[in-house]
Amino acid sequence: YSKIRKGKFECVLDFSLAGEFGFLLWLAGIKIRIGFNYKNRGFFLNKKLKFNGFTDKHVIEYYLDLLKLIDIKAEEKHIKVFTPNNNLIKARRLLRANDVKETNKVVAVIPGGGASWGEDSYKKHYSVKKFAVVCDELIKERGVNILLLGSAKRLKS
């Protein structure tokens, strides 16, 4: 938090839903700490919204609600995802090399959950065998191609 304190920030938006970040931001001396009061974890936030989860609208709408707390009105509410051309070229080559045409439907599946989910992520998802059953059904019922993503290191049976 000392590096943050040195930055002399006036305002921060905390999207974490975790109380410890509000505390660290308070400790760093940030005057305006905005976030969600999820499960009463927003004690150290001084501008907060009561929040019960992403249940009735898109996550963007919730984030834009936070901006309203500091009188910022969003002019655009759409997500734009940009993929660098070199990544698109690599993806097309990979799919072509595996006999997947651009007109084919492709479903990406990440059975390992991703390293960013932490060491215990395997406890939070299906086993690889169950993912295989789901993938088989998608192929059979929907005629899709399955693209497996993730790290072999994270796969658990």
Side-chain angles (χ1 to χ4, degrees):
Y1 78 93
S2 63
K3 287 183 181 181
I4 295 172
R5 182 182 280 280
K6 288 177 186 174
K8 298 182 182 179
F9 297 99
E10 294 178 25
C11 177
V12 68
L13 291 166
D14 177 5
F15 299 112
S16 71
L17 307 181
E20 62 268 19
F21 291 108
F23 173 70
L24 291 172
L25 299 169
W26 171 79
L27 204 58
I30 298 173
K31 291 181 181 163
I32 303 171
R33 300 171 306 279
I34 304 163
F36 297 109
N37 192 21
Y38 179 66
K39 297 184 178 182
N40 292 318
R41 296 175 185 162
F43 182 80
F44 289 96
L45 301 172
N46 52 12
K47 290 187 181 273
K48 54 193 164 195
L49 286 176
K50 185 172 171 65
F51 182 73
N52 295 316
F54 300 108
T55 57
D56 60 348
K57 55 187 174 182
H58 194 280
V59 67
I60 291 173
E61 296 292 327
Y62 289 99
Y63 292 161
L64 293 176
D65 288 344
L66 289 179
L67 292 177
K68 291 177 190 174
L69 293 176
I70 51 175
D71 299 321
I72 296 175
K73 185 178 179 190
E75 294 181 20
E76 190 171 327
K77 298 180 182 182
H78 303 285
I79 295 176
K80 293 181 181 176
V81 178
F82 298 96
T83 305
N85 279 338
N86 61 330
N87 289 356
L88 290 172
I89 292 167
K90 288 178 189 176
R92 284 186 183 115
R93 282 184 191 151
L94 175 69
L95 292 172
R96 263 191 241 118
N98 287 282
D99 297 322
V100 178
K101 297 179 179 87
E102 288 192 34
T103 56
N104 292 136
K105 294 177 187 173
V106 178
V107 173
V109 178
I110 309 173
S116 64
W117 290 12
E119 289 298 318
D120 294 329
S121 68
Y122 68 92
K123 296 176 184 175
K124 301 176 186 175
H125 61 74
Y126 282 165
S127 68
V128 172
K129 290 176 184 175
K130 289 180 181 178
F131 265 107
V133 170
V134 170
C135 290
D136 288 343
E137 286 299 311
L138 284 168
I139 293 166
K140 180 179 161 188
E141 296 293 324
R142 303 289 179 165
V144 301
N145 289 276
I146 301 295
L147 178 64
L148 288 176
L149 301 175
S151 168
K153 177 179 162 186
R154 288 281 183 213
L155 296 178
K156 304 257 186 222
S157 299

